[in-house]
mmCIF file of all heavy atoms in Angstrom:
data_model
loop_
_atom_site.group_PDB
_atom_site.id
_atom_site.type_symbol
_atom_site.label_atom_id
_atom_site.label_comp_id
_atom_site.label_asym_id
_atom_site.label_seq_id
_atom_site.Cartn_x
_atom_site.Cartn_y
_atom_site.Cartn_z
ATOM 1 N N MET R 142 71.158 36.929 201.563
ATOM 2 C CA MET R 142 71.538 38.142 200.820
ATOM 3 C C MET R 142 71.762 39.277 201.793
ATOM 4 O O MET R 142 71.013 39.432 202.784
ATOM 5 C CB MET R 142 70.447 38.566 199.805
ATOM 6 C CG MET R 142 70.870 39.785 198.994
ATOM 7 S SD MET R 142 69.536 40.469 197.934
ATOM 8 C CE MET R 142 69.361 39.157 196.725
ATOM 9 N N ALA R 143 72.838 40.054 201.563
ATOM 10 C CA ALA R 143 73.136 41.199 202.404
ATOM 11 C C ALA R 143 73.228 42.435 201.493
ATOM 12 O O ALA R 143 73.619 42.340 200.332
ATOM 13 C CB ALA R 143 74.433 40.996 203.150
ATOM 14 N N ILE R 144 72.856 43.597 202.046
ATOM 15 C CA ILE R 144 72.991 44.872 201.337
ATOM 16 C C ILE R 144 74.039 45.690 202.071
ATOM 17 O O ILE R 144 73.988 45.905 203.269
ATOM 18 C CB ILE R 144 71.637 45.621 201.329
ATOM 19 C CG1 ILE R 144 70.574 44.806 200.636
ATOM 20 C CG2 ILE R 144 71.841 46.965 200.636
ATOM 21 C CD1 ILE R 144 70.850 44.505 199.171
ATOM 22 N N ILE R 145 75.029 46.157 201.289
ATOM 23 C CA ILE R 145 76.177 46.890 201.841
ATOM 24 C C ILE R 145 76.364 48.132 200.980
ATOM 25 O O ILE R 145 76.278 48.058 199.768
ATOM 26 C CB ILE R 145 77.439 46.018 201.850
ATOM 27 C CG1 ILE R 145 77.269 44.804 202.778
ATOM 28 C CG2 ILE R 145 78.656 46.850 202.255
ATOM 29 C CD1 ILE R 145 78.328 43.753 202.658
ATOM 30 N N SER R 146 76.599 49.271 201.626
ATOM 31 C CA SER R 146 76.686 50.498 200.863
ATOM 32 C C SER R 146 77.841 51.392 201.365
ATOM 33 O O SER R 146 78.364 51.214 202.462
ATOM 34 C CB SER R 146 75.394 51.302 200.934
ATOM 35 O OG SER R 146 75.138 51.745 202.257
ATOM 36 N N GLY R 147 78.215 52.360 200.544
ATOM 37 C CA GLY R 147 79.228 53.352 200.895
ATOM 38 C C GLY R 147 79.029 54.594 200.071
ATOM 39 O O GLY R 147 78.394 54.563 199.023
ATOM 40 N N ASP R 148 79.571 55.721 200.545
ATOM 41 C CA ASP R 148 79.455 56.968 199.788
ATOM 42 C C ASP R 148 80.633 57.880 200.029
ATOM 43 O O ASP R 148 81.344 57.707 201.024
ATOM 44 C CB ASP R 148 78.141 57.685 200.135
ATOM 45 C CG ASP R 148 78.071 58.090 201.585
ATOM 46 O OD1 ASP R 148 78.701 59.098 201.968
ATOM 47 O OD2 ASP R 148 77.401 57.373 202.364
ATOM 48 N N ASN R 149 80.848 58.785 199.114
ATOM 49 C CA ASN R 149 81.929 59.767 199.234
ATOM 50 C C ASN R 149 81.506 61.127 198.664
ATOM 51 O O ASN R 149 80.729 61.177 197.692
ATOM 52 C CB ASN R 149 83.170 59.302 198.472
ATOM 53 C CG ASN R 149 84.023 58.354 199.299
ATOM 54 O OD1 ASN R 149 83.953 57.159 199.094
ATOM 55 N ND2 ASN R 149 84.793 58.910 200.226
ATOM 56 N N ARG R 150 82.056 62.176 199.262
ATOM 57 C CA ARG R 150 81.762 63.534 198.830
ATOM 58 C C ARG R 150 82.893 64.064 197.977
ATOM 59 O O ARG R 150 84.052 63.693 198.146
ATOM 60 C CB ARG R 150 81.563 64.467 200.032
ATOM 61 C CG ARG R 150 80.482 64.047 200.994
ATOM 62 C CD ARG R 150 79.096 64.213 200.437
ATOM 63 N NE ARG R 150 78.802 65.577 200.029
ATOM 64 C CZ ARG R 150 77.633 65.968 199.526
ATOM 65 N NH1 ARG R 150 76.677 65.078 199.319
ATOM 66 N NH2 ARG R 150 77.430 67.226 199.189
ATOM 67 N N GLY R 151 82.539 64.947 197.047
ATOM 68 C CA GLY R 151 83.534 65.597 196.193
ATOM 69 C C GLY R 151 82.839 66.710 195.432
ATOM 70 O O GLY R 151 81.742 67.177 195.833
ATOM 71 N N VAL R 152 83.411 67.138 194.306
ATOM 72 C CA VAL R 152 82.825 68.149 193.451
ATOM 73 C C VAL R 152 82.880 67.717 191.998
ATOM 74 O O VAL R 152 83.710 66.882 191.635
ATOM 75 C CB VAL R 152 83.506 69.546 193.620
ATOM 76 C CG1 VAL R 152 83.380 70.025 195.051
ATOM 77 C CG2 VAL R 152 84.962 69.461 193.184
ATOM 78 N N ILE R 153 82.010 68.296 191.215
ATOM 79 C CA ILE R 153 82.027 68.071 189.751
ATOM 80 C C ILE R 153 82.867 69.169 189.098
ATOM 81 O O ILE R 153 82.582 70.355 189.268
ATOM 82 C CB ILE R 153 80.590 68.067 189.181
ATOM 83 C CG1 ILE R 153 79.742 66.984 189.837
ATOM 84 C CG2 ILE R 153 80.626 67.897 187.637
ATOM 85 C CD1 ILE R 153 80.220 65.581 189.587
#
Side-chain angles (χ1 to χ4, degrees):
M142 182 187 292
I144 301 297
I145 296 169
S146 65
D148 60 80
N149 277 100
R150 303 290 301 181
V152 299
I153 300 298

